[in-house]
Amino acid sequence: TLFRSMGNLQSGGHTIEVKSGKIHITHNIVSSGGNTYFESNATVSNNTYYHVVLTWNQSTGKASLYINGALDTTVTLATTYKFPTILRYSFGADLGDSSPYLESSSKCYKGTILFGRLYDAVLTATDVSALYSVATNP
């Protein structure tokens, strides 16, 4: 089962999702003509809090996925990002669903999201570690 967690795939964009026990990233890039997918090495469990951070450096194409402050995986993606047609991000639902805000929707995340953030700069491993430390020791 795929649950939308955070993102926007309105003819572009990206999402961070949970799929079959893995953190699943969808990244929409122009050069491939569609979506690129990759997933975490780690398996995640239900009813467990995870701190998940995705970074992407457009100039190098490097995407890094961090779980609980530690690097889980790094992949190289194309450097030409396709922005969503609607520039807004959804937490807990798929904007493409006709009823994304209803809990009965099959595309809604069935869980708790404590908070979400978007940054306009690429976070370093030190930045991610500091964010995790604050999240676990408020």
Side-chain angles (χ1 to χ4, degrees), residues 27 29-32 36 56-58 61 76-81:
H27 185 76
I29 52 177
V30 174
S31 61
S32 71
T36 297
W56 178 61
N57 185 325
Q58 184 173 4
T76 301
L77 303 170
T79 57
T80 308
Y81 182 71

Side-chain angles (χ1 to χ4, degrees), residues 37-74:
Y37 305 92
F38 68 96
E39 62 185 19
S40 64
N41 290 315
T43 301
V44 295
S45 302
N46 290 335
N47 303 314
T48 303
Y49 168 81
Y50 293 96
H51 182 264
V52 177
V53 175
L54 172 67
T55 66
W56 178 61
N57 185 325
Q58 184 173 4
S59 64
T60 64
K62 296 284 185 197
S64 297
L65 178 64
Y66 297 84
I67 300 175
N68 294 340
L71 180 64
D72 176 82
T73 189
T74 298

Side-chain angles (χ1 to χ4, degrees), residues 7-14 81-91 95 101 118:
N8 180 354
L9 285 179
Q10 292 295 108
S11 301
H14 66 277
Y81 182 71
K82 185 175 182 183
F83 284 93
T85 53
I86 300 171
L87 291 177
R88 64 181 181 190
Y89 288 85
S90 174
F91 290 83
L95 290 174
Y101 305 107
L118 294 174

Side-chain angles (χ1 to χ4, degrees), residues 110-124:
K110 309 293 193 252
T112 301
I113 299 172
L114 297 178
F115 55 87
R117 296 179 180 165
L118 294 174
Y119 293 91
D120 62 357
V122 179
L123 301 178
T124 66

